[in-house]
Amino acid sequence: MKTNGSLYVGVVFAALVGYFSYQWWFNPTRVVKKRLGEVAEALSVPAGDKDLGRVTRIAQLRHYLADDIHVHVGATPELTSRDTVLGAVGAWTPPPGGWDVAFADVQIVMESPATAHAFVSVEITTRDPQGQPSMDSRDASINLAKRDGEWVITQAESKELPGRP
């Protein structure tokens, strides 16, 4: 015969398992954060990268961007299509040691079940000629939308950091 205490503990335990399962697998904020990590990985270029690796990363990046994406970085002209963005990414010449792109300080706001806004610090780490790491950081604002069941970037904007006084 079960006691009421055992039943309550079982119910609480089941509720906790359900909650953490939801947070781990189905929480849209977690899914958006994972997608941003995939974008950063696709933008990173390892040392000694070959053409096949570059083409593979650009093909991956294509799945993470909306057809009608708008990208504005600093004082450069706005890029207004996925193909233009992919062309610009493909035209970048990485330094000999490659670079590593990471999104830090990620803050995600779910505006609806199908739209999200992320504020991130984009950190790009390269190696200087002496082999020491050198990092550049910019703040960025990214809009995402859920299209055909996948989260894609619809707009990205980064402003130049102010100079030192």
Side-chain angles (χ1 to χ4, degrees):
M1 179 173 177
K2 290 187 176 185
T3 64
N4 284 342
S6 305
L7 182 62
Y8 292 131
V9 168
V11 169
V12 169
F13 181 73
L16 286 173
V17 167
Y19 171 77
F20 286 113
S21 295
Y22 169 78
Q23 290 298 326
W24 181 253
W25 292 108
F26 303 111
N27 187 330
T29 302
R30 184 192 144 300
V31 175
V32 168
K33 198 173 208 181
K34 181 180 180 224
R35 177 52 48 114
L36 291 173
E38 293 167 344
V39 170
E41 184 178 338
L43 291 172
S44 296
V45 178
D49 186 45
K50 303 291 183 210
D51 289 336
L52 182 59
R54 178 181 221 126
V55 170
T56 301
R57 280 191 315 283
I58 290 173
Q60 288 172 336
L61 190 59
R62 178 177 203 77
H63 298 291
Y64 307 147
L65 306 177
D67 290 336
D68 57 345
I69 188 170
H70 290 268
V71 176
H72 189 255
V73 179
T76 62
E78 183 175 32
L79 305 175
T80 57
S81 74
R82 178 173 56 196
D83 292 334
T84 306
V85 171
L86 295 174
V89 170
W92 285 341
T93 303
W99 62 46
D100 183 47
V101 176
F103 295 135
D105 300 326
V106 179
Q107 298 174 10
I108 298 171
V109 176
M110 298 302 298
E111 296 172 349
S112 75
T115 59
H117 189 80
F119 299 97
V120 301
S121 290
V122 182
E123 296 178 349
I124 301 173
T125 306
T126 59
R127 298 260 176 211
D128 65 15
Q130 292 78 27
Q132 298 298 317
S134 173
M135 186 174 68
D136 185 22
S137 180
R138 311 269 179 192
D139 290 332
S141 174
I142 302 170
N143 290 339
L144 298 101
K146 195 171 191 179
R147 296 187 179 164
D148 298 325
E150 294 291 328
W151 286 96
V152 293
I153 296 175
T154 59
Q155 184 175 10
E157 180 178 4
S158 176
K159 294 189 174 17
E160 295 294 323
L161 294 178
R164 293 187 178 225

